[in-house]
Amino acid sequence: MTKTVLSLLCLGTLSLSVAGCGQPQPGDVPVAPALDELSPEGLVAEPSNDIELTAQATIDKTRAQQVVDLINGYRDKGGVRCPDGKTYPKVPKLTLNSFLATAAERHSADMADYKYFSHTGRNGSTPATRAKTAGYTGGTYIGENIAAGNDTAAKTVAQWIGSKGHCINLMSANYKSTGVGVAYNASAPYRWYWTQMFANP
């Protein structure tokens, strides 16, 4: 049986634009394009029909913390060469933000329960609107990496490090805080769904 893994990363400026998204192929690990939204006037208003956690997916906080620890290890050490050919220096560790974590958990659970894989929620939400809905009020930049299919934090982080946009998000000095959500649903196509949000501050 072939294991499928995905990751997605989207990069944007004043409005969301997807870069390097493409359709996952059988045998790939889903990595969605990395997302980076810039909102000079703060976070935009959230959609009115926000999606809450559903009953099917299980949230794994242990794996979520492992993601934070692994990424902070890369940031603290520096010398990380991303697929863009640049070597990124040591940067301050990310601080865990409970509001970003809530937004990440909700999105991972929603993808797992409703069997989709995208930075755009079923209600049309974006990472910025999900962060605000979860209670996050600071910052101008909101970034997001998502992945699906791998069952360990180490494999997922390695996948992101090996992808240009994701790696840049992970090593960006612009980001100061993070929140990670990991959801598992045995009946979902990829079973494991990973979301990491970034913000400044």
Side-chain angles (χ1 to χ4, degrees), residues 87-158:
T87 299
Y88 288 79
K90 176 178 178 176
V91 290
K93 293 181 178 180
L94 296 167
T95 301
L96 190 61
N97 181 286
S98 62
F99 298 119
L100 295 178
T102 296
E105 288 173 357
R106 288 175 175 174
H107 191 51
S108 287
D110 198 63
M111 290 190 293
D113 286 346
Y114 293 95
K115 302 173 176 59
Y116 71 98
F117 184 68
S118 174
H119 287 291
T120 303
R122 291 183 302 115
N123 61 347
S125 66
T126 68
T129 60
R130 289 192 291 273
K132 183 175 182 183
T133 299
Y136 180 78
T137 57
T140 331
Y141 285 95
I142 295 289
E144 181 179 82
N145 286 353
I146 61 176
N150 278 319
D151 60 356
T152 70
K155 291 176 184 176
T156 299
V157 171

